[in-house]
Amino acid sequence: MFKKNIMGIFFATFIMVSNMQTVYGAEKGIVKQCDYLNIRKGPNVNYSVVSKVRTNDVIDIVEKNGNWYKIKTSSNIEGWVNSKYIDSYTQSSDEIKTEQLTDQNSNINKIVKVANAQIGKKYKWGSAGPSLFDCSGFTSYIYKNGAGISLPRTSVSQSKVGSKISRNQLKSGDLVFFNTSGKGISHVGMYIGDSKFIHASTSKGVRIDSLNSSYYKSKFVTASRIIK
């Protein structure tokens, strides 16, 4: 009888452990549209809440357990969230190399950090922060406050500074330009890796979008590298 119970405990423990998957590499995620997402101490709703993340927050996925992800936030908070609220993606080796290079470039790190801190703030034409932004006001603000670099005020003017690069040469910190008006360059954002960029959207404020979306893919014009 004792042996049978031991075997039962061993089998149950094996099932629990076998559902756990540690993630090695560079799997990240972006929080989907929601008011907020609770981070819990363990992988179900019975665990207490330790913190929260919000729409468009970028997180690291460090472990998986069924429909739950163990995540690490930009503030180094770790905990579990329901995976249905996360869009996950795995970086390619080229993107990992780019990120490693970015780690060596403190200016770009600071700009990206400043940019991420603005997510969720509202759009207002003619505004350049700190609480409201238009697109070129946003890029001006993050470059000035992240690296002390002054950019021209409009998207057209910003497209004329730095070194022109093609889309397949993009690295974190590069500026990306779009023709959203049908009359030439009218919108700007900053590339952050994995075909994503952060910008002040006229309809949704500061957020992260994909260059591969049908809309932005068709509107893309050019890109510039400010920091080499």
Side-chain angles (χ1 to χ4, degrees):
M1 180 70 178
F2 178 74
K3 289 183 178 179
K4 188 174 182 180
N5 286 339
I6 290 293
M7 289 299 292
I9 293 170
F10 173 79
F11 184 68
T13 302
F14 173 77
I15 291 174
M16 181 179 70
V17 173
S18 67
N19 284 334
M20 303 284 285
Q21 178 187 354
T22 302
V23 178
Y24 299 99
E27 187 164 6
K28 292 183 175 289
I30 296 178
V31 180
K32 296 180 181 179
Q33 184 68 42
C34 60
D35 291 334
Y36 59 84
L37 178 60
N38 288 326
I39 303 175
R40 298 182 180 272
K41 284 187 176 181
N44 66 58
V45 294
N46 294 322
Y47 286 92
S48 60
V49 175
V50 297
S51 188
K52 292 177 173 61
V53 284
R54 300 183 184 277
T55 302
N56 290 327
D57 281 355
V58 178
I59 51 86
D60 292 315
I61 299 171
V62 297
E63 195 173 317
K64 297 179 181 180
N65 184 358
N67 294 325
W68 289 77
Y69 290 160
K70 185 177 183 181
I71 66 166
K72 184 176 181 179
T73 71
S74 59
S75 303
N76 291 319
I77 295 170
E78 291 193 10
W80 294 85
V81 298
N82 194 307
S83 62
K84 71 180 181 179
Y85 297 106
I86 303 293
D87 278 328
S88 63
Y89 60 93
T90 303
Q91 294 172 294
S92 68
S93 59
D94 286 342
E95 288 159 352
I96 293 170
K97 289 176 184 176
T98 296
E99 193 164 80
Q100 290 170 345
L101 289 172
T102 299
D103 287 341
Q104 298 169 7
N105 192 322
S106 60
N107 280 337
I108 293 178
N109 274 343
K110 290 174 183 177
I111 293 168
V112 172
K113 184 176 180 179
V114 172
N116 284 332
Q118 313 313 314
I119 289 175
K121 292 186 177 179
K122 303 297 184 182
Y123 178 95
K124 184 178 180 181
W125 187 85
S127 296
S131 56
L132 299 168
F133 296 96
D134 66 13
C135 66
S136 56
F138 173 69
T139 48
S140 294
Y141 180 88
I142 62 178
Y143 261 82
K144 183 66 176 177
N145 288 274
I149 296 173
S150 297
L151 294 178
R153 183 57 184 86
T154 68
S155 56
V156 173
S157 297
Q158 289 181 11
S159 70
K160 296 177 181 178
V161 299
S163 303
K164 286 286 183 290
I165 53 172
S166 64
R167 180 169 167 171
N168 60 13
Q169 295 175 312
L170 284 169
K171 294 182 180 181
S172 292
D174 293 340
L175 297 181
V176 286
F177 300 91
F178 307 87
N179 177 1
T180 56
S181 66
K183 300 178 181 179
I185 290 173
S186 56
H187 189 63
V188 60
M190 184 182 73
Y191 187 74
I192 57 171
D194 195 51
S195 297
K196 292 180 171 62
F197 69 104
I198 187 167
H199 65 133
S201 162
T202 55
S203 59
K204 297 180 179 179
V206 179
R207 55 179 280 122
I208 294 171
D209 279 301
S210 174
L211 286 175
N212 291 331
S213 70
S214 57
Y215 179 78
Y216 288 109
K217 189 174 183 179
S218 66
K219 303 297 182 182
F220 178 82
V221 177
T222 188
S224 290
R225 180 160 300 151
I226 307 300
I227 299 176
K228 300 177 182 179

